[in-house]
Amino acid sequence: MGSPFILPRPASLQDPLRIAVMISGGGSGLEALLRFQSKEQRCHHTVLVLADRIGARGLSHGKNRSIRSIGIPIPDNASKSENRLAHEKLIQTELESSKIELVVLSGYMRILSPWIVKKWKGRLVNIHPSLLPDFPGAHAHREVISAGVSTTGCTVHLVDEGVDSGPILAQKTVPVLPEDDEKSLQERVKKVEHLLYPETIDLLCSGEFSL
Ligand code: GAR
């Protein structure tokens, strides 16, 4: 069971929802969302980009659009669990000071602790590169290929205290080709992610989902 999911308020074009996007790497998903938001007026806008490293390449997508974009590295002056807590407290402070209403994980490769998930539960979404509940975790494409399945895909879900286990909002399938390696499969899945995630975020912010 755990704590309840509290969805974002239904937003409007006049009063758009304030989104933070969290990334770890190249941020192609972030860029797809920013393009979606800049093409026409939406009921959400990205006002903060956070990465778990100062040098995360994807931060440039936010900076190029004058969005506050910062890397917050993991502190390394205490025990692993204390460093993790300190890191998440820094994240929480940034989210609060930017008055964030929805947190979008887009290639964020760290598991968030239950305390911070609880604070955002229902307003914290993730995209995972497989058809959940199949192939959760950090190596979805590798596992899809070694399982020999012919179809994979991507899943947008609300984040709960587990790993890739929260309620599913949307999924799309993608074929696995016999000649695929991890890289080619990842590229094909990402193309679909870049359509599915912005569309699903749009529906969530419009109040189209209920639990
Ligand atoms: C995306 O494929 C996303 O689904 C995946 O990381 C990639 C990030 O790409 N996320 C996970 O695996 C989360 N467990 P990007 O940095 O180019 O957007």
Side-chain angles (χ1 to χ4, degrees):
M1 274 293 279
S3 54
F5 291 91
I6 300 168
L7 296 179
R9 67 175 169 88
S12 64
L13 299 183
Q14 295 70 33
D15 188 13
L17 216 74
R18 296 173 66 80
I19 287 182
V21 181
M22 291 175 55
I23 62 166
S24 293
S28 65
L30 163 66
E31 174 61 14
L33 177 63
L34 296 177
R35 249 186 279 126
F36 181 90
Q37 290 171 328
S38 62
K39 244 201 232 148
E40 57 185 86
Q41 218 190 336
R42 304 285 180 188
C43 61
H44 46 90
H45 57 160
T46 299
V47 297
L48 179 65
V49 177
L50 296 178
D52 54 357
R53 292 184 294 118
I54 287 175
R57 274 185 301 122
L59 286 170
S60 63
H61 299 307
K63 287 182 184 157
N64 290 343
R65 288 177 163 84
S66 306
I67 296 168
R68 179 170 169 76
S69 302
I70 49 175
I72 304 179
I74 322 298
D76 63 357
N77 52 356
S79 71
K80 206 172 166 191
S81 62
E82 285 167 335
N83 288 336
R84 181 182 183 193
L85 179 61
H87 184 241
E88 291 175 341
K89 282 189 170 165
L90 292 170
I91 291 170
Q92 176 66 14
T93 300
E94 281 295 335
L95 296 175
E96 281 175 7
S97 66
S98 288
K99 298 189 168 35
I100 295 304
E101 299 178 283
L102 175 68
V103 181
V104 170
L105 304 182
S106 186
Y108 188 71
M109 298 310 280
R110 295 181 60 81
I111 307 293
L112 293 169
S113 303
W115 77 268
I116 192 165
V117 170
K118 202 169 158 197
K119 281 196 181 293
W120 292 97
K121 210 166 158 189
R123 289 155 300 124
L124 176 59
V125 285
N126 182 42
I127 187 154
H128 181 77
S130 78
L131 293 174
L132 291 173
D134 294 341
F135 309 107
H139 305 289
H141 299 306
R142 189 183 307 169
E143 288 166 16
V144 161
I145 288 174
S146 57
V149 296
S150 58
T151 304
T152 183
C154 51
T155 303
V156 180
H157 65 98
L158 295 175
V159 176
D160 68 5
E161 291 86 347
V163 177
D164 300 325
S165 57
I168 291 173
L169 300 179
Q171 289 185 307
K172 261 208 157 98
T173 60
V174 175
V176 184
L177 304 181
E179 63 272 24
D180 268 333
D181 58 16
E182 268 184 64
K183 181 112 192 60
S184 62
L185 185 57
Q186 183 189 50
E187 276 168 20
R188 192 173 316 111
V189 172
K190 272 192 188 185
K191 283 196 183 127
V192 176
E193 290 183 26
H194 295 169
L195 300 173
L196 184 68
Y197 210 8
E199 281 167 9
T200 308
I201 289 166
D202 203 56
L203 292 175
L204 180 62
C205 295
S206 314
E208 296 289 326
F209 288 106
S210 57
L211 287 176

